[in-house]
Amino acid sequence: MRFANQLAMVALLAITAINFNPTPTNAQTSVFCPPNFPVFQAGSCTSVDGKHGSLGVPALATQSVNQVSQSITQQSNAATIEALRRRRAQEAGSPGATSGALMFAPQSLVELPYQNSTPFAPPPPKAYVVAPVDTGIHSAVWAYGFGGFENRTANSQTTFHDTTQSTLPVNVNVVSNTGVWGVVSGADLTFPGLGPRGGTLIAGLLTGYMESNVDLLGVSTSATASNPGTSTGTAHVRLSGPSAGAYATIFQGPISADLTFKADFLNINDSFFQSLDCCSAPVLSGGTASSHVDNFSTVGNFNYRFPLYSAIWIEPTVGFNYTYSLYDSSAQALGLASGYVLRLQEGARVGLDFYCNDIHVTPTIAGLLYDDVVVTGGPIVNGFFVGGDLLPSDEGKLRAQGILTLNVDYRNGLSSFASATIYGGEDLFGAGGKAGLRYQW
């Protein structure tokens, strides 16, 4: 009987401990929170009793990793699409080609004998002649480097939760600066003379490497006298890894289309520091975290080129960019979940073809509008990470991009290009550049 009473007492104490456990049920310890404020609940680092704490700025700011990984993948994709565009121009300008960019050169360029000495014409040794359709398979290799800078800002309202008051309003300001660089290279085969009208197909494989470094500064400010929810945090996130994929482009006369499949295998390394200003003295903490994400992209574009005047042409274009981000299980601790982004874009590029000392030069300027029409996954905004993403989603925000490009074909199989890009919209400004070489034989 005495043993039964003791057992009942132990059970009662256990039930009491469970019922009166001051730790909130929807909470967990987090690598982002200091030891004396270990409970991470609703985006905040709080004490065990839930009465003191501040917004976990690094924990929520790290959720912007999804935007960073998407951005670096899209810049790599842009370099690949630019490579396909330049390869088309290179093949279209090769001797014997019957389709492509140079079909819009002035009529005087294809008349023999050639008499005009304007700078738009090829010199006599390279004058265009009526040639049979090229049916030989060509090989080519190319390599491009790209880099860029991106700035994002956000000023939003969220809430801090504690046990004495259900919600406290907190104003959050975040600044994110990102630097990106990478290389993309490929090897392909060209199959001319396809179909009854002599279309051309270029198909190949690509590989590459990319790296992105992002620095975030976040400040949350509470209007409450005791400063619950007030904090300052910084984070440095590095994403890096290799790429692999395949691509194809086809063109016939003024019509062209391309399709690319690419996978980026990115490691995530995050170092952070924060100051919780909730108490009599600031609570300082810092640490590191890591994870991995695989971005799988499918990119397609359709183009149609119209002659304007002399050697000037315009090429309207429409396209899509679908990227699925698959995170490791460890990313859940960073507040990240797998998902996808679907981007649609449209615009046009204007170009000029001319010759200078036997070199074919093509400057172009492009203007594009793009919109991430569907964004899923990414930041976890429920459970432990309630409070939302500190950097707002790009979903449904129409943005603009301008691209200036110079392409040079040395007419011996070697060609090069360089371009500068600027883009932006609501809470976003970015700039970057690309340069590369191609060799065809």
Side-chain angles (χ1 to χ4, degrees), residues 32 34 45 54-62 64 171-176 214-221 229-237 270-277 283-287 390:
F32 294 106
C45 294
S54 293
L55 193 72
V57 173
L60 296 180
T62 300
S64 66
N171 185 69
V172 180
N173 292 278
V174 179
V175 177
S176 168
V214 55
D215 291 298
L216 298 110
L217 171 63
V219 178
S220 70
T221 305
T230 300
S231 62
T232 302
T234 62
H236 177 83
V237 183
D270 179 12
S271 58
F272 58 90
F273 174 82
Q274 68 179 333
S275 172
L276 305 182
D277 301 326
V283 179
L284 308 179
S285 66
L390 293 189

Side-chain angles (χ1 to χ4, degrees), residues 9 28 36 44 52 61 97 174 177 236-237 245 274 287 297 320 350 374 376 380 388 396 409 414 417-419 431 440:
M9 182 64 69
Q28 66 176 2
N36 47 343
S44 303
H52 304 284
V174 179
N177 292 311
H236 177 83
V237 183
Q274 68 179 333
S297 299
F320 71 92
V350 178
V374 180
T376 67
I380 300 173
D409 189 342
L414 180 66
F417 98 101
S419 72
Q440 169 197 317

